[in-house]
Amino acid sequence: MELALLTPLAIPVVLALLSLTIDSAPLRRYSPMASSAAVLVSGLLLISAVLQRGGATSISDLLRSDALSSYMLAVVGAVGLVSTWGGLSSVAASRERTAGSYGALLSLFLAAMSLAVLADSIGLMWAAIEATTIATAFLVGHHRSRRSLEAAWKYVILGSVGVAIALLGIVLIYAASIGTDTPTLSWLVLSQGRLGLDPTLVTAGGALAVLGFATKSGLAPMHSWLPDAHSQAPAPVSGLMSGVLLSVALYAILRIQTITNAVIGPDFLRVMLSIGGLLSLLVAASLLIRQRDYKRMLAYSSIEHMGLMAIGVAIGPAALPAVLLYILAHGLIKATLFVISGRILAVEGTAVIADVKHLLARRPGVAVPWLIAMSALIGFPPFSIFFAEVGIITAGWSVGMGGVVGVALLLLLVIFAALTRLTVSMTMGSPPESEPFTIDRQSHGPRLPIILALATTATMAFIAEPVGSLLVQATAVLGGTN
């Protein structure tokens, strides 16, 4: 299994180098998809090993695969595959002079996220998340327009501030370990609570690290980079950033929370994450009501979902299986929606909601999957987002956080109404008889990744084995029992 730990790091890097050095259109077109497939296969192999043998696989003190990291690696690969495979039409339309760097940066982006979830050292995890900032900054500015370059610079500045704050927090956690017999950055050692870490340093370090990673995960009030970056990046990049990069940053918060809980208990970060989650829901609700751009609509929806996930993390072990299910369901659906939004933008020529009308009548090939995916995103059953949200809300009531989840539920209702109104305005109705039109039934891109993503999110909440067992084991890792 050690090979499966190295594969999701090595193969994307090799493919990135080949994309830069070999002038081959098929290689540059398909290398991000191959990188995603390699990450997904590695994640599934590691999950199989965890379920069959239990325990963890590690290389030195740097890389470690347990139930949680294996699951997150599979999420990175699955969302990456939907984004890169479904976005092949966007790759074909990309500029010839930047095609090699585009494919290489996507592969490096996948490698950096894989390293972040496989790192046992929280210092290495931080470095990997910083590497995602570098790779995605160039991808956000890929179109070289004024707005895309402005979004890229905004992302670099705010993202760098966030990871700098997180670095300071990690340094303080390491400083707390220096006073013990085992100075270390190993998450496994730090999370056991046996070192006698200085509670003051851990409190300060944990707060700063969570605040920094919250910036990368798009939580309010550190969210302002997200709508610009996600709306200006190419569709596959937006799918990856919204679908999995935000979740990788939330994964880092989960790892830091486990360390602080072992030393100072859960109350401190519970308050911090609850405030951030509710503020994120409030920001999303207030801005979605008057949203005019459908890519920005999806970006603000990401702030909403990350806010509810943060509340789930604050609730603790009772909600963590639902949070982990939420991560995969949201990732697949959001990648699907950004891919489809790229196709709508290509055929309609605008991202303005008011200028996109009667899609279901005029372009059913893109309107039907858009409607299904939006239904999943809004939270209709049988899609897994519905069950994840219900799981978080019921867990909150069960642990005495009824006030927090009650306010969250009210904000979710506002967001539900806003997203429904915007989706209906884009898709329903028929053009006037005075405006003749031709029905376009083409999907304008590969159908299979969209079908697989929607089918997965519609069924996985009903699969007790192995999905349920894996989520329970991943939750146990965060409880320090595995």
Side-chain angles (χ1 to χ4, degrees):
M1 283 297 110
E2 287 80 3
L3 181 61
L5 275 174
L6 296 174
T7 299
L9 308 178
I11 288 183
V13 170
V14 169
L15 288 172
L17 293 174
L18 292 176
S19 296
L20 289 173
T21 56
I22 299 177
D23 187 10
S24 169
L27 172 65
R28 292 173 172 178
R29 180 177 171 82
Y30 294 108
S31 59
M33 183 176 163
S35 297
S36 299
V39 173
L40 176 58
V41 170
S42 298
L44 293 176
L45 287 173
L46 291 169
I47 287 172
S48 176
V50 166
L51 292 176
Q52 291 178 10
R53 301 192 310 229
T57 303
S58 61
I59 296 178
S60 182
D61 293 328
L62 297 178
L63 301 179
R64 184 174 184 272
S65 171
D66 50 32
L68 177 61
S69 54
S70 300
Y71 175 76
M72 287 300 301
L73 186 66
V75 171
V76 172
V79 176
L81 192 58
V82 172
S83 299
T84 55
W85 186 5
L88 284 177
S89 57
S90 299
V91 177
S94 65
R95 301 181 180 204
E96 192 65 32
R97 64 185 177 87
T98 58
S101 61
Y102 177 84
L105 287 168
L106 273 177
S107 293
L108 291 174
F109 181 24
L110 288 161
M113 289 191 291
S114 299
L115 179 58
V117 299
L118 291 175
D120 179 56
S121 165
I122 58 174
L124 184 59
M125 178 182 71
W126 173 88
I129 291 177
E130 171 66 1
T132 66
T133 304
I134 298 170
T136 49
F138 292 102
L139 290 168
V140 169
H142 175 73
H143 292 307
R144 302 292 192 271
S145 65
R146 183 186 65 82
R147 292 184 65 187
S148 66
L149 292 174
E150 179 183 338
W153 275 110
K154 189 174 184 178
Y155 171 58
V156 168
I157 293 170
L158 294 179
S160 298
V161 169
V163 292
I165 294 172
L167 176 60
L168 178 57
I170 289 171
V171 168
L172 290 176
I173 292 174
Y174 179 71
S177 75
I178 291 178
T180 70
D181 295 332
T182 313
T184 183
L185 284 174
S186 168
W187 173 85
L188 182 62
V189 177
L190 291 169
S191 64
Q192 298 304 312
R194 302 169 183 165
L195 294 181
L197 299 174
D198 184 340
T200 303
L201 287 175
V202 170
T203 300
L208 289 171
V210 168
L211 179 63
F213 290 129
T215 304
K216 287 289 291 185
S217 64
L219 292 176
M222 297 79 68
H223 67 283
S224 57
W225 62 270
L226 191 152
D228 292 332
H230 291 199
S231 63
Q232 294 303 313
V237 179
S238 300
L240 274 168
M241 292 180 71
S242 184
V244 74
L245 177 59
L246 303 182
S247 297
V248 169
L250 186 70
Y251 165 89
I253 291 174
L254 281 167
R255 293 290 192 181
I256 297 297
Q257 182 193 41
T258 308
I259 296 172
T260 60
N261 286 357
V263 178
I264 61 173
D267 292 341
F268 177 70
L269 287 186
R270 175 173 291 167
V271 172
M272 187 175 177
L273 289 169
S274 296
I275 292 172
L278 289 177
L279 189 57
S280 298
L281 288 170
L282 178 61
V283 167
S286 60
L287 293 174
L288 280 170
I289 291 173
R290 54 188 178 85
Q291 192 49 238
R292 298 182 177 88
D293 182 302
Y294 54 82
K295 287 195 74 175
R296 292 180 73 88
M297 174 187 75
L298 296 178
Y300 283 116
S301 168
S302 295
I303 296 174
E304 168 221 343
H305 287 288
M306 295 311 298
L308 190 55
M309 288 183 208
I311 291 173
V313 174
I315 291 168
L320 288 181
V323 171
L324 296 176
L325 178 65
Y326 205 160
I327 285 173
L328 177 57
H330 172 259
L332 291 174
I333 291 299
K334 194 54 67 68
T336 297
L337 282 166
F338 269 113
V339 164
I340 299 172
S341 75
R343 299 177 187 181
I344 295 174
L345 180 60
V347 296
E348 294 290 321
T350 179
V352 178
I353 294 173
D355 295 337
V356 180
K357 296 292 186 181
H358 320 302
L359 269 183
L360 192 58
R362 295 187 302 107
R363 303 189 190 276
V366 293
V368 170
W370 175 265
L371 275 172
I372 296 173
M374 283 301 300
S375 298
L377 186 73
I378 290 170
F380 281 108
F383 296 100
S384 297
I385 286 179
F386 168 78
F387 296 102
E389 291 180 343
V390 169
I392 290 172
I393 291 169
T394 54
W397 283 105
S398 70
V399 300
M401 293 181 62
V404 172
V405 297
V407 173
L409 189 56
L410 290 174
L411 293 171
L412 285 175
L413 291 175
V414 175
I415 293 167
F416 174 88
L419 289 175
T420 301
R421 179 183 65 82
L422 294 171
T423 303
V424 168
S425 72
M426 290 176 61
T427 56
M428 298 303 178
S430 299
E433 293 183 2
S434 59
E435 299 179 10
F437 66 95
T438 301
I439 298 178
D440 179 8
R441 301 185 185 279
Q442 296 183 32
S443 61
H444 298 278
R447 287 188 176 94
L448 187 55
I450 305 300
I451 294 171
L452 290 174
L454 293 174
T456 300
T457 55
T459 57
M460 64 184 177
F462 300 97
I463 304 174
E465 294 293 341
V467 175
S469 296
L470 178 62
L471 296 179
V472 170
Q473 289 192 40
T475 302
V477 170
L478 293 170
T481 60
N482 189 21

